[in-house]
């Protein structure tokens, strides 16, 4: 085995160790990922501030990082502030519900499924759908105690505090030194592969950074489009629905389905205080699905080819297979990182073996000429 082969084997072993540690310490990886993304968003402003000179005085990088971090926190806080009124109204709607009449309406609606379920043997002769749901809810309620609720709430608050502090701490130092995470990884590598690592980092820095910035832009456009369509169609809580759709759009393919289900729940619960007719409920569901359908088509045919294809130089079918395989291996979390990880693997192989991967356009030309 030549030196390149040995170096490549060492890098693969190192990647395997990193993947295992990432799986074992998944919470920390999520903190690092969020801090990394926030630093990529804020790094252009940090660079702009550090270029300021007043005589011999230069804008300190620490001060620039602190200012940008405050701006990021303010923007995120503003987004939450804009959504809070809608969330408060949602809670007010739920508090004004006549749960007895709502329960009767839901029970009458569920009873419509009794006959077809009995026909296929899912329900017994005198059994109702509501009976199954009541049994499941009773079994769940027995497992839940007040002490477990208090303990769970305290655990969530503690985890949330640690997460926020960790992300802000990492983001500050990542803004101060944009490549701090990469430098940390380089310090762990053997000396004989550090030059290869530098070449890989140079090749991936532009592609992966542009990819994540494109994903953030994609989330914003998709969320805003879903909000705009729902608002025009008169769907209640269009802002919350747009926020849900935009945030969950980071999860390839599956995220849209989850967002649709969550948005339908938000839309229907907003109608319940007025005791709506079933026709109005179904109309709201159709409007929400239509809004997500239009946004999905714009995303698939306009946004994703630009972000995934041009930045990763891969065919959409190739990207789909990679994301699908990642989902089978590591679930939703792995699907988020599938595309940048695949891009990184291609660059590593090219660095150690000198194998140039053909781009999607080049492969299409070769197929057309054959």
């Amino acid at each position: 085995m030549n030196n390149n082969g040995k170096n490549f084997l060492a890098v693969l072993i190192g990647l395997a160790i990193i993947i295992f540690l990432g799986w074992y310490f998944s919470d920390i990886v999520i903190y690092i990922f969020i801090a990394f993304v926030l630093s990529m968003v804020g790094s252009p402003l940090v660079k702009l501030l550090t270029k300021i000179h007043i005589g011999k005085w230069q804008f300190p990088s620490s001060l620039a990082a602190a200012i940008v971090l405050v701006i990021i926190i303010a923007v995120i806080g503003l987004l939450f502030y804009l959504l809070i009124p809608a969330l408060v109204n949602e809670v007010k709607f739920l508090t004004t519900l006549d749960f007895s009449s709502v329960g009767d309406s839901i029970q009458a609606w569920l009873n419509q499924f009794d006959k077809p379920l009995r026909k296929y043997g899912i329900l017994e002769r005198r059994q109702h759908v509501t009976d199954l749901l009541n049994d499941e809810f009773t079994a769940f309620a027995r497992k839940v105690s007040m002490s477990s609720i208090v303990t769970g709430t305290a655990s969530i608050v503690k985890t949330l505090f640690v997460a926020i502090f960790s992300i802000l701490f990492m983001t500050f130092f990542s803004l101060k030194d944009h490549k701090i995470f990469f430098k940390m990884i380089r310090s762990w590598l053997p000396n004989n592969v550090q030059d290869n690592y530098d070449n890989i980092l140079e090749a991936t820095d532009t592609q992966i950074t542009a990819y994540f910035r494109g994903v953030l832009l994609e989330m914003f456009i998709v969320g805003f489009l879903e909000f705009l369509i729902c608002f025009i169609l008169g769907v209640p809580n269009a802002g919350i629905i747009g926020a849900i759709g935009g945030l969950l759009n980071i999860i390839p393919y599956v995220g849209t389905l989850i967002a649709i289900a969550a948005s339908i729940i938000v839309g229907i619960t907003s109608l319940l205080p007025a005791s709506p007719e079933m026709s109005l409920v179904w109309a709201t569901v159709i409007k929400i699905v239509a809004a997500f359908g239009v946004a999905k088509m714009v995303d698939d045919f306009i946004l994703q080819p630009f972000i995934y294809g041009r930045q990763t130089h891969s065919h959409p079918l190739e990207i789909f297979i990679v994301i699908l395989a990642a989902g089978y291996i590591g679930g939703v979390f792995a699907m988020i990182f599938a595309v940048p990880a695949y891009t990184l693997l291609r660059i590593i192989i090219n660095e150690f073996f000198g194998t140039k991967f053909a781009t999607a356009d080049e492969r299409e030309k070769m197929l057309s000429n054959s």
Side-chain angles (χ1 to χ4, degrees):
M1 182 182 294
N2 56 27
N3 290 333
N4 285 339
K6 291 179 180 179
N7 292 342
F8 178 68
L9 181 61
V11 171
L12 281 183
I13 295 174
L15 285 175
I17 295 173
I18 292 174
I19 292 172
F20 172 76
L21 292 176
W23 168 80
Y24 191 79
F25 299 103
S26 58
D27 291 345
I28 298 177
V29 172
I30 294 174
Y31 302 159
I32 294 174
F33 170 70
I34 296 175
F36 177 68
V37 172
L38 292 177
S39 67
M40 285 194 301
V41 173
S43 60
L45 183 55
V46 172
K47 292 179 181 178
L48 182 64
L49 291 175
T50 52
K51 290 180 180 179
I52 297 176
H53 290 267
I54 301 176
K56 295 183 179 180
W57 181 84
Q58 182 179 1
F59 209 96
S61 59
S62 299
L63 181 58
I67 292 174
V68 173
L69 182 60
V70 171
I71 294 174
I72 291 174
I73 294 173
V75 171
I76 295 174
L78 178 62
L79 293 175
F80 277 104
Y81 176 77
L82 295 175
L83 289 175
I84 283 175
L87 293 173
V88 171
N89 289 333
E90 182 74 9
V91 173
K92 287 181 178 179
F93 282 147
L94 294 176
T95 57
T96 58
L97 283 178
D98 183 1
F99 286 99
S100 59
S101 61
V102 172
D104 293 338
S105 301
I106 294 175
Q107 183 174 359
W109 182 69
L110 290 174
N111 287 338
Q112 299 175 8
F113 298 95
D114 287 347
K115 288 184 179 180
L117 292 177
R118 287 174 187 154
K119 180 180 179 180
Y120 292 102
I122 298 175
L123 290 179
E124 297 179 1
R125 185 174 182 181
R126 296 183 178 179
Q127 195 176 24
H128 300 280
V129 175
T130 52
D131 296 333
L132 290 178
L133 295 177
N134 286 333
D135 293 340
E136 292 296 327
F137 179 78
T138 302
F140 174 77
R142 288 174 180 172
K143 297 178 182 179
V144 178
S145 61
M146 183 56 66
S147 60
S148 63
I149 293 175
V150 173
T151 303
T153 304
S155 177
I156 291 173
V157 172
K158 177 183 176 182
T159 302
L160 187 62
F161 174 80
V162 172
I164 293 175
F165 177 79
S166 301
I167 292 170
L168 292 179
F169 188 83
M170 293 178 184
T171 303
F172 171 77
F173 283 100
S174 185
L175 287 170
K176 182 182 176 183
D177 187 350
H178 180 56
K179 295 185 178 181
I180 184 64
F181 294 119
F182 301 110
K183 291 178 180 178
M184 291 170 58
I185 296 174
R186 190 181 192 278
S187 65
W188 300 336
L189 296 176
N191 293 331
N192 59 337
V193 298
Q194 288 186 357
D195 290 338
N196 300 105
Y197 175 78
D198 293 337
N199 295 334
I200 293 170
L201 180 59
E202 182 179 357
T204 57
D205 186 36
T206 302
Q207 288 189 34
I208 295 181
T209 300
Y211 169 79
F212 279 119
R213 286 177 179 166
V215 168
L216 291 176
L217 179 62
E218 177 191 12
M219 292 169 60
F220 174 79
I221 294 175
V222 169
F224 179 77
L225 186 59
E226 290 162 353
F227 154 74
L228 184 62
I229 296 174
C230 287
F231 179 78
I232 293 174
L233 295 177
V235 178
N237 288 329
I240 296 178
I241 291 174
I244 292 173
L247 290 173
L248 292 180
N249 197 67
I250 194 174
I251 306 173
Y253 306 110
V254 181
T256 302
L257 299 178
I258 300 173
I260 290 174
S263 299
I264 289 174
I265 294 173
V266 171
I268 291 177
T269 53
S270 302
L271 299 173
L272 290 179
S275 300
E277 298 290 334
M278 287 305 300
S279 58
L280 179 59
V281 173
W282 281 114
T284 302
V285 172
I286 292 172
K287 290 176 182 178
I288 293 174
V289 173
F292 275 83
V294 172
K296 183 63 177 173
M297 286 190 292
V298 172
D299 188 22
D300 288 345
F301 294 105
I302 299 176
L303 300 179
Q304 288 192 16
F306 175 79
I307 295 171
Y308 295 159
R310 293 190 180 184
Q311 301 300 339
T312 63
H313 306 291
S314 301
H315 194 278
L317 179 60
E318 187 178 351
I319 295 299
F320 175 79
I321 294 173
V322 169
I323 293 174
L324 186 65
Y328 275 104
I329 295 173
V332 172
F333 184 71
M335 294 173 71
I336 298 174
F337 293 98
V339 175
Y342 178 64
T343 303
L344 177 61
L345 180 61
R346 288 161 57 101
I347 294 173
I348 291 175
I349 294 175
N350 180 47
E351 171 65 24
F352 285 98
F353 287 99
T355 303
K356 181 182 182 299
F357 284 94
T359 64
D361 293 336
E362 291 172 344
R363 286 194 293 270
E364 289 181 1
K365 290 180 181 179
M366 287 187 289
L367 289 174
S368 62
N369 293 332
S370 61

